[in-house]
Amino acid sequence: MDHAELIKLLPNFGIKNSSLKWFKCYLDKRKQKVKINGILGDEMLITCGVPQGSVLGPTLFILYINSICDLDINGQIITYADDTCLLFSGDTWDNVQTKATLGFKKVLGYLNQRKLTVNYKKTNFINFSILKDENNFDHLKIHNCGNEPCGELNCQSIFRVSCTRYLGLIIDNNLRWNQHVNNIVSRLRTVSFKFYKLRIFLPVHTLRIIYLALYQAILQYGLLVWGGTAKNALQPLIIQQRSIIRIGLSKISLEGSTIENFKLFNVLPLEKLYKKIAIFFIIKNYNQWVDVVNMYDKRENRAYDAKIPYTKKSFGQKCINYLSPTYFNSLPINIKISINANFRNLKKYNLKKLIVNWLDTHID
């Protein structure tokens, strides 16, 4: 981040007068030295960047790059800190390629104005399709020279990958989530081993706390996005979860009811955990999903239902926008009435416990 450019931008966020002077003082006249093999270099003035490890650093960077989301790239721009994702769609792959090339070029122009650079080694793209369609492009050439074709070194290419990691999720080009599930299973094996050792020394209620902190925290990360995938893709995770619950209850053999094991350990199996998160997704955005204005013109059994979007393909029925309202609408009418009356204060009216108890007793 260029200090002079950042100071120009801060008034747009209400930082003025003495506050702005404080930030100028914070950034101005900073110096650093570099030491290599015991040899100390000359002291140099810093005009870019913020102190590493500072609390203000990430916040200032977000303010610095915030307006990137206002760019018109004929697509979508999604940012989280220094991770930026561009989304383009079209009727043909040629149309998508043209949009992506022009859109990425606009983003590069914005970054150049902000005196920022793209790390091309960490930049790639992925072509999403529910069909096994290989008739699409495998690289994007970004021309900074204004001529096409060209051989300029500063005209970089970014290349296609079949899967990528974004914000901790491994996303594949067909959105099947098999690789992500396998990655979670691998990560949770070490937790299962620790669990196996701890069961000798700790009571069940303590093991449950450890399960929630170490196992379920990893299990449910991003579950809202990938939890609706096909059951055969989720099967390795379902088997592993059942195994760790048996370990927590000191039931090493496969005898006994799986449903009873989850009830005894007082946790939800993966499928019901996903349903719970999906239902609360509707509750947190209640006014967007439920027609509160016209609900009293409908029959009671339909009045409190969430709107289910139409999907052209069966693949769309595995996505959260379809599954969340579907699960919500399957709630008993008394729970939906309670949610409608009290959705702004879930804790006060104990709605979370009410829904979890229903999930615990509900058989699919």
Side-chain angles (χ1 to χ4, degrees):
M1 292 184 296
D2 183 79
H3 293 172
E5 191 70 28
L6 177 61
I7 294 300
K8 288 180 188 176
L9 293 170
L10 289 179
N12 297 333
F13 301 97
I15 301 172
K16 301 175 181 179
N17 304 323
S18 57
S19 298
L20 186 61
K21 288 178 182 177
W22 185 91
F23 276 99
K24 283 181 180 177
C25 183
Y26 177 71
L27 296 169
D28 196 31
K29 295 179 181 178
R30 285 189 172 272
K31 298 178 181 180
Q32 72 176 25
K33 296 178 182 180
V34 177
K35 189 175 184 179
I36 301 175
N37 296 329
I39 300 172
L40 192 64
D42 296 333
E43 191 174 70
M44 301 291 289
L45 194 68
I46 301 172
T47 58
C48 295
V50 290
Q52 293 293 310
S54 64
V55 177
L56 274 175
T59 305
L60 289 174
F61 180 81
I62 291 169
L63 296 179
Y64 190 73
I65 204 173
N66 183 65
S67 58
I68 194 174
C69 296
D70 298 329
L71 290 177
D72 181 11
I73 63 166
N74 202 8
Q76 287 181 274
I77 300 177
I78 299 169
T79 63
Y80 184 86
D82 61 344
D83 282 320
T84 302
C85 174
L86 311 181
L87 297 177
F88 302 94
S89 61
D91 296 327
T92 65
W93 285 116
D94 288 338
N95 182 230
V96 173
Q97 184 176 14
T98 302
K99 285 183 179 181
T101 304
L102 295 175
F104 193 79
K105 194 171 181 179
K106 281 187 180 181
V107 171
L108 279 181
Y110 171 89
L111 294 176
N112 288 336
Q113 288 178 1
R114 290 283 190 269
K115 299 181 181 179
L116 296 171
T117 56
V118 173
N119 185 342
Y120 282 95
K121 291 182 180 179
K122 293 183 178 180
T123 304
N124 49 48
F125 71 92
I126 185 167
N127 290 344
F128 292 110
S129 174
I130 60 174
L131 304 173
K132 292 183 178 179
D133 182 11
E134 294 298 331
N135 186 24
N136 48 51
F137 52 98
D138 58 5
H139 77 282
L140 288 174
K141 185 79 171 179
I142 311 301
H143 292 275
N144 295 320
C145 59
N147 299 316
E148 187 178 349
C150 74
E152 293 291 326
L153 292 176
N154 56 342
C155 293
Q156 300 281 351
S157 292
I158 56 174
F159 296 93
R160 185 178 70 174
V161 292
S162 59
C163 70
T164 189
R165 184 185 289 271
Y166 186 68
L167 301 180
L169 300 180
I170 298 175
I171 308 171
D172 63 276
N173 58 338
N174 297 126
L175 296 175
R176 298 291 187 246
W177 299 105
N178 300 67
Q179 294 182 64
H180 182 69
V181 169
N182 291 335
N183 179 61
I184 295 173
V185 170
S186 178
R187 288 175 63 193
L188 291 175
R189 280 198 190 106
T190 55
V191 180
S192 299
F193 177 74
K194 292 172 184 176
F195 222 63
Y196 183 80
K197 295 292 185 183
L198 288 171
R199 84 193 196 288
I200 303 169
F201 311 103
L202 300 174
V204 172
H205 73 273
T206 306
L207 287 172
R208 180 181 176 275
I209 294 170
I210 295 171
Y211 167 88
L212 294 173
L214 298 183
Y215 191 94
Q216 187 165 300
I218 296 172
L219 178 68
Q220 70 182 16
Y221 177 75
L223 186 60
L224 189 68
V225 178
W226 58 267
T229 192
K231 191 170 181 178
N232 63 336
L234 295 173
Q235 199 60 29
L237 210 46
I238 292 170
I239 292 170
Q240 188 191 60
Q241 189 194 24
R242 290 174 180 175
S243 174
I244 197 169
I245 296 302
R246 286 198 305 273
I247 291 170
L249 295 170
S250 297
K251 293 184 176 182
I252 307 303
S253 70
L254 297 176
E255 295 179 3
S257 167
T258 300
I259 295 172
E260 287 302 315
N261 287 346
F262 278 101
K263 286 182 179 179
L264 283 171
F265 206 61
N266 195 22
V267 296
L268 292 172
L270 180 63
E271 305 98 312
K272 292 188 176 183
L273 183 62
Y274 174 66
K275 283 188 178 182
K276 174 191 147 186
I277 293 171
I279 289 169
F280 277 94
F281 174 71
I282 296 291
I283 296 172
K284 287 177 182 177
N285 305 280
Y286 190 76
N287 287 325
Q288 297 175 25
W289 288 94
V290 180
D291 187 4
V292 179
V293 177
N294 301 311
M295 67 166 43
Y296 298 108
D297 297 333
K298 303 174 184 176
R299 294 180 181 179
E300 188 181 56
N301 64 330
R302 293 284 184 87
Y304 303 97
D305 283 355
K307 298 184 288 283
I308 300 176
Y310 171 74
T311 60
K312 292 182 179 179
K313 306 275 186 181
S314 59
F315 181 85
Q317 296 178 5
K318 297 176 184 177
C319 298
I320 192 62
N321 282 354
Y322 180 89
L323 290 173
S324 280
T326 303
Y327 294 146
F328 180 86
N329 294 349
S330 67
L331 289 169
I333 186 65
N334 64 305
I335 295 181
K336 284 190 278 189
I337 291 172
S338 296
I339 291 169
N340 181 63
N342 308 303
F343 68 90
R344 290 184 180 86
N345 199 338
L346 296 178
K347 289 184 179 178
K348 183 178 178 181
Y349 295 98
N350 219 5
L351 290 177
K352 185 175 180 180
K353 188 175 182 181
L354 191 67
I355 292 168
V356 170
N357 287 342
W358 176 78
L359 285 168
D360 205 29
T361 55
H362 179 67
I363 299 173
D364 297 325

